[in-house]
Amino acid sequence: MAGGDGGDSLVRMLWRHLDTSPIDIDTGVEPAIAYAVAGALAAHTVPLLARRDGRIEPLASGVFYRAGQRLWLVTCRHVFDDGIVLANLGVALPRAGRVRWLCESRSRLLVHPEHDLAAIVIGTGTAERELRSAWTALPLAEFDEAPAHALVLAAWPYAQMRRIDHVLHARPLVVFARWLQSGQDVRGSYARTARRTDGLAVQAPPLDGASGATLWALRTVAADGRYVLQPAAVQFAFKHDAYMRGAPISALRQLLQAAR
């Protein structure tokens, strides 16, 4: 299953990205906007995988950020609670259909002392160049943290993955939800039933595997009515018919700035 070429360890043809349709919990987002937002987030929502007993298994989600010259992979601290270490953590490369293992990147892990946040600085070299080419990294910047009408989660839940003939087929989730509260955590609504852009009611999947994904604020630009997306939180928990929760983006900014 695993192969190597010149020390550049890759797992080939074990990942397949499936198309998805965005769903709406309770925001009433217009279908055209929903599809445009889902397309924009596709470049940022990173699937994280674990290597266990010679198999690759879905683990969590993440997003790449740029801080100075460094490339950071941001996810949740609890991802590392069950024996996962950087040596067996991988990033899917959807266009290439393979996995890049972080053991080849001389990476380093930082965790937030209070929030469920983790940030992995990617070491320079071939792995970093490949990850920068495969995924768009967001700049570390000041974002408006005031509540917006809608939060958007783009993630890779286990419920939308299937293994077929040693290939992991994965369908991302893009869900629009109402912003419920801010403060120590950011919360958005999460019901059991959602609505597809064609109006059909569907089951909202459990969010196991979505931990580490970004919750995005969908904001209107007052001058011309356009929409913008801004990172609002890093998702770490959910409860059906109640909420999805995330650590505020200010906590992430504190963590990365402290490491620069």
Side-chain angles (χ1 to χ4, degrees):
M1 177 177 286
D5 40 77
D8 184 16
S9 179
L10 302 174
V11 177
R12 298 185 179 277
M13 301 310 295
L14 291 176
W15 175 268
R16 185 161 299 164
H17 175 197
L18 304 178
D19 292 335
T20 192
S21 295
I23 60 175
D24 181 31
I25 297 293
D26 54 9
T27 70
V29 63
E30 298 176 12
I33 294 172
Y35 274 105
V37 168
L41 295 184
H44 296 290
T45 308
V46 178
L48 304 184
L49 307 171
R51 185 160 42 189
R52 304 178 193 265
D53 300 323
R55 289 165 57 92
I56 60 170
E57 303 288 349
L59 179 66
S61 302
V63 170
F64 281 107
Y65 283 82
R66 304 191 310 271
Q69 298 301 312
R70 292 178 171 179
L71 179 66
W72 293 89
L73 175 58
V74 173
T75 187
C76 285
R77 182 178 60 196
H78 76 252
V79 165
F80 299 93
D81 286 350
D82 296 323
I84 296 298
V85 295
L86 294 185
N88 55 23
L89 184 66
V91 175
L93 306 177
R95 290 192 299 272
R98 64 178 190 257
V99 178
R100 164 60 71 184
W101 299 102
L102 296 187
C103 59
E104 296 295 330
S105 69
R106 299 188 299 278
S107 298
R108 180 167 57 95
L109 173 67
L110 294 177
V111 296
H112 197 285
E114 299 174 0
H115 292 276
D116 191 352
L117 278 173
I120 303 162
V121 61
I122 307 298
T124 59
T126 301
E128 184 200 25
R129 291 192 295 272
E130 186 168 24
L131 291 170
R132 285 184 183 271
S133 176
W135 296 102
T136 302
L138 293 166
L140 181 63
E142 297 285 339
F143 297 106
D144 183 358
E145 296 191 39
H149 169 64
L151 284 168
V152 189
L153 176 70
W156 297 88
Y158 304 157
Q160 300 196 167
M161 297 187 183
R162 296 290 184 273
R163 186 185 303 278
I164 304 173
D165 296 332
H166 305 293
V167 178
L168 193 61
H169 297 248
R171 189 182 307 279
L173 172 71
V174 178
V175 56
F176 292 75
R178 187 165 39 87
W179 191 314
L180 296 180
Q181 74 174 47
S182 302
Q184 181 73 5
D185 295 331
V186 172
R187 295 194 182 204
S189 56
Y190 200 66
R192 292 185 182 274
T193 302
R195 195 163 298 278
R196 279 192 339 205
T197 51
D198 60 5
L200 182 68
V202 296
Q203 292 296 307
L207 296 182
D208 305 283
S211 292
T214 293
L215 281 166
W216 303 79
L218 183 63
R219 303 187 186 280
T220 303
V221 178
D224 57 12
R226 289 183 299 114
Y227 287 90
V228 295
L229 286 164
Q230 294 178 329
V234 178
Q235 195 269 352
F236 64 82
F238 84 100
K239 183 178 180 181
H240 264 135
D241 292 327
Y243 58 76
M244 47 187 177
R245 295 171 59 194
I249 208 70
S250 57
L252 170 61
R253 203 162 51 240
Q254 293 163 6
L255 179 63
L256 297 194
Q257 286 173 338
R260 292 172 69 177

